[in-house]
Amino acid sequence: VIGATQDAYRVEVTDGDETAYEYVVQLGRTPEEGPNLVARTSTEMGGDFELNRAILDRMMATMEFIGTIQ
């Protein structure tokens, strides 16, 4: 989804009253070593969660990584 050279995943988790929605993009050799890009929104951040989620999806869909992975 993000690019041919980056491993990434998207997850939505509900814990009690909070729902979190995030992307994690591996920029380094491994996720454990990093660096990783994390983009997140949640119901606890305020505003319209569905709108925030749609904006986050759009941001991630249009993001372009240039260069090499470390």
Side-chain angles (χ1 to χ4, degrees), residues 3-26:
T5 59
Q6 275 75 30
D7 289 332
Y9 64 89
R10 177 179 60 192
V11 64
E12 182 170 300
V13 177
T14 300
D15 183 17
D17 292 337
E18 181 182 9
T19 299
Y21 183 74
E22 72 181 29
Y23 286 81
V24 178
V25 182
Q26 178 184 328

Side-chain angles (χ1 to χ4, degrees), residues 19-70:
T19 299
Y21 183 74
E22 72 181 29
Y23 286 81
V24 178
V25 182
Q26 178 184 328
L27 300 175
R29 295 185 194 277
T30 68
E32 294 78 19
E33 293 175 12
N36 298 304
L37 170 69
V38 179
R40 180 178 191 270
T41 190
S42 80
T43 53
E44 296 297 308
M45 291 182 174
D48 181 335
F49 176 70
E50 292 304 321
L51 177 60
N52 294 346
R53 182 180 154 166
I55 291 169
L56 184 56
D57 284 340
R58 180 70 175 157
M59 287 171 43
M60 297 307 291
T62 59
M63 192 170 287
E64 183 177 340
F65 295 93
I66 303 170
T68 61
I69 296 176
Q70 298 179 3

